[in-house]
C-alpha cells in the first residue's frame, strides 16, 4: 500500500488534515508536540472507475465505488511536528525523521495564514513566515539524510573494497531501508558527479549535495497551503508558489473538510470528498451553530477555492507526484470478474513503468513466478509479461498453475 507522510511544524493543521482524510479522531490542540507519536490511518485516493465507461455494475472488495468514482486506500501517517535542530535529535526529531524516511511521498503542511512563529507556536495571522517555515523543514530533512549518509560512508567503502561492488550498488544496499531505489541512487550520483569519485575522498559538501538529491528523488513532496480561510493566506499563497515554482502547491482548508465529513457521517448533509458542493438534507435538524458553520465553509472555502483541498491533495500526490496508475486484475476476462463472479473487485496502484509481471507479483508472488502472459480484458488481446501497464487497464494474468 502507498504510504504518505504528513510533515510540517507544530500547529500547522497536520492532525486536522489527517482526521479529515481518515475520519479518525487523533488529538488536536494548540500545544506544541500534541502529536507525540505517529498517527496511522487509511485515507483514499479517487479516480474514475471503469464501471461508468463499460456500463457494468461493479462489486468492489479492496476499495469502494461511489457514483462512478473508485476510492482506493492509501496509508497516511501524521508525524510529530518538527523544530529547528530536529535532525540532531532535538524535540521529537529522530522519531519523526525515521518514520518520514519510510514514506513513498510527503505532504508538507504549512500554515498559509502566517499564524505560526518560527518555533511552531500560535501567533496572530500575518506574523509568521510560511516560506521560511517550509525552508526550515526542508533543511532538517536534508541534514538528516546527509547525516545518515555520512554514517554509512565507512561501510560503503568497506563493501566496495571487499566485494568489488560499484558505488551505486553499495549505496543502494545501505539505503534500501529508507525506501531508496537503486535508480534513485544512480541518478543522484550522476547529478552530483560523484559516481567516479572515491567515497573516501568525499567532502562534507559532497555528502550534503548527495543527501539533498537522495531526499528529493526518494521522497517527492507536495506543499499544502493550509488554513486558506484565514486572513493573509491569499498573500502568502502567492509567495509560496513563487518561491517553490518546481513544487505542486495546493490551497487547502482541512478544518472545512473535517466539518463536512463529520456532517456527512451524521447524516446532516450529502457530500462526496473532493466535490465542489454539499447538500443539506434537512435544515430543521441542524442547530444555529451548525448552520453557521456550514455557511462559513460555503462562503469562505468552497465559493472561493471550489474545494477544501484535502482530497485533491491526496489525488495529486498519488497520481501526479508519484505518477501511479490504477489497474484492475480479473480472473474472467469475459465477465470482468473474479472466481466469485464479482465484477471489477480489486484495483491496484502500480508505478509508471510497472509491467504485467509486476502486477502479478503484487497479487501473489507465486503468480508472478508461474505467469505465462496477460490478457487485455477490454479487447481480448494477448499481452507479454513485460507489457507496461496503463492507467485503468483491466488485466487477466494467465499462468501455468491456472492451465492445470
Amino acid at each position: 500500500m502507498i504510504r504518505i507522510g504528513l510533515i510540517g511544524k507544530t500547529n500547522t493543521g497536520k492532525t486536522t488534515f489527517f482526521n479529515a482524510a481518515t475520519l479518525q479522531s487523533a488529538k488536536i490542540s494548540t500545544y506544541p508536540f500534541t502529536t507525540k507519536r505517529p498517527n496511522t490511518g487509511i485515507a483514499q485516493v479517487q479516480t474514475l472507475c471503469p464501471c461508468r465507461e463499460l456500463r457494468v455494475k461493479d462489486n468492489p472488495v479492496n476499495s469502494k465505488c461511489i457514483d462512478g468514482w473508485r476510492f482506493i486506500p492509501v496509508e497516511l501517517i501524521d508525524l510529530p511536528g518538527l523544530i529547528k535542530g530536529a535532525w540532531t535529535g532535538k524535540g521529537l526529531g529522530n522519531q519523526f525523521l525515521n518514520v518520514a524516511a519510510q514514506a513513498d511521498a510527503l505532504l508538507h503542511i504549512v500554515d498559509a495564514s502566517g499564524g505560526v512563529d518560527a518555533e511552531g507556536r500560535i501567533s496572530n495571522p500575518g506574523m509568521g513566515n510560511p516560506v521560511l517555515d517550509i525552508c526550515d523543514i526542508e533543511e532538517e530533512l536534508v541534514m538528516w539524510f546527509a547525516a545518515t549518509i555520512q554514517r554509512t560512508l565507512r561501510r560503503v567503502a568497506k563493501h566496495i573494497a571487499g566485494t568489488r561492488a560499484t558505488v551505486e550498488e553499495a549505496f543502494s544496499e545501505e539505503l534500501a531501508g529508507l525506501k531508496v531505489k537503486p535508480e534513485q541512487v544512480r541518478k543522484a550520483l550522476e547529478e552530483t558527479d560523484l559516481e567516479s569519485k572515491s567515497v573516501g575522498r568525499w567532502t562534507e559538501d559532497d555528502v550534503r549535495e548527495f543527501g539533498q538529491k537522495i531526499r528529493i528523488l526518494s521522497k517527492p513532496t507536495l506543499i499544502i497551503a493550509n488554513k486558506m480561510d484565514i486572513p493573509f493566506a491569499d498573500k502568502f499563497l502567492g509567495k509560496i508558489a513563487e518561491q517553490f515554482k518546481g513544487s505542486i502547491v495546493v490551497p487547502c482548508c482541512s478544518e472545512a473538510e473535517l466539518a463536512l465529513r463529520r456532517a456527512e457521517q451524521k447524516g446532516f448533509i450529502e457530500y462526496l470528498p473532493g466535490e465542489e458542493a454539499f447538500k443539506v438534507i434537512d435544515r430543521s435538524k441542524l442547530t444555529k451553530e451548525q448552520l453557521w458553520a456550514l455557511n462559513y465553509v460555503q462562503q469562505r472555502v468552497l465559493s472561493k477555492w471550489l474545494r477544501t483541498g484535502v482530497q485533491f491533495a491526496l489525488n495529486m500526490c498519488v497520481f501526479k507526484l508519484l505518477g501511479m496508475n490504477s489497474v484492475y486484475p480479473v480472473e474472467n476476462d469475459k465477465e470482468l470478474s473474479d472466481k466469485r463472479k464479482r465484477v471489477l473487485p480489486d484495483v491496484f496502484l502500480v508505478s509508471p513503468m510497472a509491467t504485467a509481471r509486476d502486477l502479478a507479483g503484487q497479487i501473489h508472488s507465486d503468480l508472478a513466478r508461474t505467469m505465462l502472459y496477460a490478457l487485455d480484458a477490454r479487447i481480448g488481446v494477448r499481452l507479454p509479461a513485460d507489457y507496461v501497464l496503463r492507467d485503468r487497464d483491466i488485466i487477466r494474468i494467465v499462468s501455468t498453475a491456472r492451465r492445470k
Side-chain angles (χ1 to χ4, degrees):
M1 185 180 292
I2 299 295
R3 177 179 289 180
I4 301 171
L6 304 181
I7 66 172
K9 289 190 172 181
T10 58
N11 290 315
T12 58
K14 297 192 316 306
T15 301
T16 303
F17 184 100
F18 174 84
N19 287 340
T22 64
L23 279 181
Q24 291 197 30
S25 299
K27 186 177 180 181
I28 301 170
S29 85
T30 59
Y31 293 102
F33 304 114
T34 301
T35 303
K36 290 181 168 55
R37 57 180 59 84
N39 296 311
T40 302
I42 302 298
Q44 286 84 34
V45 292
Q46 176 188 22
T47 184
L48 273 175
C49 181
C51 71
R52 179 181 294 182
E53 170 195 349
L54 300 174
R55 298 181 180 181
V56 297
K57 171 59 179 173
D58 57 357
N59 311 100
V61 176
N62 76 341
S63 50
K64 61 183 179 181
C65 183
I66 304 174
D67 296 334
W69 291 99
R70 187 63 74 108
F71 287 82
I72 308 169
V74 295
E75 186 177 11
L76 199 62
I77 307 174
D78 173 28
L79 298 158
L82 273 185
I83 58 175
K84 288 184 179 180
W87 71 274
T88 65
K90 186 177 179 181
L92 300 170
N94 284 336
Q95 178 182 341
F96 162 86
L97 291 164
N98 281 323
V99 177
Q102 301 305 311
D104 297 294
L106 301 173
L107 298 182
H108 188 161
I109 299 180
V110 62
D111 180 348
S113 75
V116 173
D117 68 15
E119 299 302 319
R121 296 183 294 257
I122 292 290
S123 63
N124 293 326
M127 298 298 291
N129 190 328
V131 172
L132 290 182
D133 289 344
I134 296 171
C135 292
D136 285 346
I137 300 301
E138 181 60 27
E139 177 67 8
E140 296 302 323
L141 284 167
V142 170
M143 290 301 296
W144 186 83
F145 269 94
T148 300
I149 289 165
Q150 182 69 53
R151 290 194 297 270
T152 70
L153 288 183
R154 183 174 296 180
R155 292 196 300 271
V156 166
K158 186 175 181 180
H159 186 180
I160 293 171
T163 66
R164 296 185 179 180
T166 63
V167 176
E168 176 189 329
E169 291 169 340
F171 269 119
S172 294
E173 184 173 319
E174 285 292 333
L175 300 177
L178 304 182
K179 301 188 79 171
V180 177
K181 300 175 183 177
E183 58 266 28
Q184 294 166 343
V185 172
R186 183 186 315 117
K187 189 172 183 180
L189 288 168
E190 291 173 354
E191 293 185 0
T192 55
D193 294 324
L194 290 171
E195 68 267 38
S196 59
K197 186 175 183 178
S198 170
V199 173
R201 295 176 54 236
W202 280 26
T203 65
E204 286 187 11
D205 288 342
D206 291 335
V207 172
R208 178 187 167 85
E209 189 178 3
F210 182 64
Q212 185 172 32
K213 286 293 182 182
I214 288 293
R215 175 267 177 277
I216 293 170
L217 293 169
S218 68
K219 309 297 171 209
T221 304
L222 182 149
I223 298 172
I224 296 178
N226 198 25
K227 306 186 184 181
M228 290 304 302
D229 58 316
I230 299 177
F232 295 98
D234 284 14
K235 180 186 74 172
F236 283 125
L237 176 64
K239 291 183 178 181
I240 292 169
E242 177 65 24
Q243 182 69 28
F244 303 98
K245 290 181 179 178
S247 301
I248 300 172
V249 180
V250 176
C252 177
C253 182
S254 53
E255 279 197 4
E257 178 70 10
L258 181 58
L260 291 176
R261 295 207 66 185
R262 294 293 190 214
E264 191 276 334
Q265 195 177 37
K266 294 176 181 177
F268 294 154
I269 65 173
E270 291 179 3
Y271 175 67
L272 188 67
E275 289 290 289
E276 300 174 7
F278 62 88
K279 179 182 177 182
V280 177
I281 295 175
D282 187 349
R283 296 179 66 87
S284 66
K285 293 184 178 180
L286 299 177
T287 65
K288 289 183 179 180
E289 291 77 12
Q290 290 169 332
L291 286 171
W292 181 90
L294 290 174
N295 183 64
Y296 180 91
V297 170
Q298 180 61 56
Q299 296 300 319
R300 298 295 295 271
V301 181
L302 298 182
S303 294
K304 188 170 185 178
W305 302 104
L306 299 182
R307 57 179 72 88
T308 68
V310 172
Q311 187 63 56
F312 184 73
L314 291 169
N315 294 344
M316 289 293 286
C317 178
V318 170
F319 297 116
K320 188 73 172 178
L321 196 64
L322 292 176
M324 305 299 283
N325 292 318
S326 56
V327 180
Y328 298 76
V330 296
E331 295 187 70
N332 187 320
D333 55 294
K334 304 299 182 184
E335 298 180 0
L336 308 180
S337 66
D338 61 11
K339 59 185 177 183
R340 296 184 181 180
K341 305 297 183 182
R342 297 177 295 198
V343 175
L344 301 174
D346 295 327
V347 56
F348 285 80
L349 292 171
V350 300
S351 60
M353 297 305 294
T355 65
R357 189 179 297 282
D358 293 329
L359 174 64
Q362 279 192 245
I363 298 170
H364 198 285
S365 57
D366 287 343
L367 187 58
R369 181 176 52 81
T370 60
M371 177 182 178
L372 295 171
Y373 58 90
L375 281 173
D376 184 327
R378 291 176 183 268
I379 55 178
V381 172
R382 178 169 168 164
L383 305 169
D386 62 357
Y387 163 76
V388 177
L389 299 164
R390 298 177 300 175
D391 191 44
R392 298 170 68 244
D393 268 347
I394 304 174
I395 300 292
R396 176 190 168 196
I397 303 296
V398 179
S399 68
T400 55
R402 292 184 180 183
R403 281 195 159 187
K404 294 176 182 178

